Amino acid sequence: MPTPLRQRAGLLQICLAGVLWGTGGLAFHVIPEHAPLSAMTISGYRTTIAAVVLLVACALMRQLGGVRRLLAERPLPTVFVGLATASYQALYFASVVWVGVTVSTVVSLGVAPLALTVRDAVRHHRRPDLVEVLTIVAALTGLVLVSGSAGLGQTGPHPTLGVLAAVASGSAYAVATAVGEPLARSTEPLVLTTAATVVGACGLVPVALLAGGPFTTTDPVALVTLFYLGALTFALAYALLYSGLRTTSSSSAVVATLCEPVTAAVAAAVF
């Protein structure tokens, strides 16, 4: 049983992951200003760069053997988490294009805590207590207010498809977090993050190639931003998430990651 101090440390790690994800939205919008790369291509680069960075880190820490063992001993949940992670990222970016940032953010991030609270209630055969309900209501209310106040209320060309993609994105995020929780409690964070990211890259890159180019750029700003997206908002952020999940429940984790839209709004206002 984790101590209260370890639980608080785990929650802080997950909040930091949310902060990093929040900066990723601003960075994502910088790239099209410097290079004609599609959202799917950027996602493919982000995941691939993260996989390379994590593999190098594993090699330096001599944990590549742990990655191979995890894929050999627990292939199904590891592959599932990796593909779910890639799926909700791709679905979220598609939703942003189809319905706009505000709606896609509110829906995709709002679905996850609701889904996991319902799952916990069914699993434990009890209704959510008042504290859980009030926490989720407060978090979702804040999410709506923050997203609306960011001045990004425009809707995209395909609102119905965008909302459906956002719901699917939030559901994939909830499932990835729920399935990743038991893996995180029995696996080193770096090992789990690397294995899941490599699987995610293998699943996402072919989809990005099928979506069409252009696929390359020589613009230095775009290249640096792509590296930032992959190394910090993906590799480091997911390492923090899985490290935090060792002592934090998945339902608490998805509420904690609502730091993401707050960070995104602050970063947009500053820059």
Side-chain angles (χ1 to χ4, degrees):
M1 180 69 66
T3 64
L5 182 60
R6 289 189 62 197
Q7 289 177 330
R8 287 193 291 270
L11 199 60
L12 177 60
Q13 288 174 314
I14 295 170
C15 289
L16 289 175
V19 169
L20 286 170
W21 289 329
T23 66
L26 185 63
F28 180 84
H29 286 290
V30 169
I31 295 174
E33 298 177 1
H34 296 269
L37 301 178
S38 68
M40 194 62 66
T41 300
I42 295 171
S43 299
Y45 271 117
R46 182 190 186 201
T47 310
T48 303
I49 291 169
V52 172
V53 169
L54 289 165
L55 285 170
V56 171
C58 274
L60 293 175
M61 299 294 291
R62 298 183 179 179
Q63 294 195 26
L64 287 175
V67 175
R68 289 192 292 268
R69 284 193 299 273
L70 178 62
L71 289 170
E73 295 172 2
R74 306 186 71 179
L76 290 181
T78 305
V79 170
F80 187 88
V81 169
L83 293 179
T85 300
S87 297
Y88 79 71
Q89 177 187 189
L91 287 165
Y92 173 73
F93 288 140
S95 176
V96 168
V97 173
W98 289 336
V99 75
V101 173
T102 300
V103 174
S104 59
T105 300
V106 171
V107 173
S108 62
L109 291 181
V111 163
L114 291 175
L116 289 179
T117 299
V118 171
R119 183 211 64 167
D120 290 344
V122 172
R123 173 187 287 181
H124 300 296
H125 304 289
R126 64 170 179 83
R127 294 180 179 178
D129 60 36
L130 182 61
V131 173
E132 291 175 326
V133 172
L134 291 177
T135 299
I136 291 174
V137 169
L140 295 182
T141 301
L143 176 61
V144 172
L145 292 174
V146 167
S147 299
S149 66
L152 300 170
Q154 302 91 340
T155 57
H158 305 292
T160 301
L161 283 176
V163 170
L164 291 175
V167 171
S169 173
S171 300
Y173 173 51
V175 171
T177 306
V179 176
E181 180 186 347
L183 283 175
R185 294 183 186 275
S186 59
T187 309
E188 287 295 321
L190 180 59
V191 170
L192 175 56
T193 307
T194 302
T197 303
V198 169
V199 170
C202 291
L204 188 57
V205 169
V207 177
L209 292 174
L210 290 174
F215 300 115
T216 60
T217 179
T218 57
D219 185 89
V221 174
L223 293 174
V224 169
T225 307
L226 284 170
F227 181 80
Y228 175 81
L229 284 172
L232 296 181
T233 72
F234 201 114
L236 179 57
Y238 279 101
L240 288 168
L241 173 67
Y242 291 129
S243 181
L245 281 174
R246 294 170 72 87
T247 57
T248 306
S249 68
S250 54
S251 54
S252 297
V254 293
V255 175
T257 53
L258 291 178
C259 291
E260 175 182 351
V262 176
T263 303
V266 172
V270 171
F271 292 100

